[in-house]
Amino acid sequence: MASLPLPCEELPSPESDRCGSPCRSGPKRNHQCLPLDIMRLVFERLGFADLERAKCVCSSWQSASKQSKPNNQIPWMILFPKDKNYCLLFNPEEKDKVYKTQDLSNDFGKSFCVATYRSWLLMQPQKDSMEDCQYNLYILDLLTLERINLPTFESEYGLPSSILWIDEKTKDYIVIGMVDEEDAVVFKKGDNSWKQMPQLSGIEGCFNMVYKNHKLYCLNNLSGLRMRPPGTLPDEVSFAHSKNNVVVTVGGDILIVTSLCQYMSKIWKFRIYKMDSSKGNKWEEIFSLGDEAILLDLGITVIAKDIEGIKGNSIYFKGNAFEGGYDENDIFIFNIDTKKVEQPHQFVCSSVPCYDARWFLPSFKRE
């Protein structure tokens, strides 16, 4: 198990050169003297593992890597070991390696992750008692350890279904969540306290939201219009569990993904509906995502064409014991073409005892 950042000595380096050696001239070493702009263009196309290897070629490549960041279109898996103050990260590009983060704080092992954005986590501490309704959430960058403490608010359950957005340059951020079945609260950078969102008041059970491109998408309140997902189909009445998730695609299209599962069963069905604005904002079922894949927990799609480690035309989702006979840290892929559920990287989930697992899109800072 490696720790972040990955040490160069664990990576292969050229036989005739060692990490940090000076750039040398000669016909066999012209690749080391490429212009900086060209190296940046190359490095920004690399994934995390390849960039870590590239920066160990020579000092000039290492310098260029500090001004670049790896391609972060590939979702990583983040696992939360029980009662531990660190996380485990799995990169699908590397099939048998798990990275361990630094110690994240003394209270991290007693907190739950309720939302992610890039490498930022929205953490909710455990309650000391059932009577305690005070919550002190905080935002944490698991790679830099930067922490933002949020004001206390009162709720019976905290913010179990919430969203997080943060601008990594300005550090502006927004946290939105439902404190009960009818009331949503929001906290933004610069506020002194949590504020109620009247726009969402009265929308019972609005526990599924996505924030993208400075727009808030809610399952029953999309772009300011009250909309409901398609009705239950006749052949779905035998399914004990049914859930709708709103998803925003790379191109900005709005999808509703209906997941269906028999109680304590591993038989899943998914149906995908797309809003057709040309037909009066009607929902139509679609049967292909093309070169994209859905990250259901994040409510987004990502490009999967020619990217190793992620399958196109698939739905990445998390199962748990209530929703279909799975452990809470089980991560699965539904192949839309074959209509079958696959368990990717099974060795990760089975070998590491964790209380939770999520997909997330890491952001690696090189400045």
Side-chain angles (χ1 to χ4, degrees), residues 144-155:
T144 67
L145 303 188
E146 184 175 354
R147 175 165 171 159
I148 303 171
N149 293 316
L150 304 179
T152 301
F153 71 94
E154 292 188 4
S155 171

Side-chain angles (χ1 to χ4, degrees), residues 306-332:
D306 300 327
I307 297 180
E308 185 177 356
I310 181 170
K311 296 183 178 181
N313 206 30
S314 299
I315 301 174
Y316 287 72
F317 71 101
K318 180 177 68 174
N320 59 47
F322 175 76
E323 294 180 348
Y326 299 115
D327 292 331
E328 284 191 53
N329 63 315
D330 283 344
I331 296 289
F332 294 89

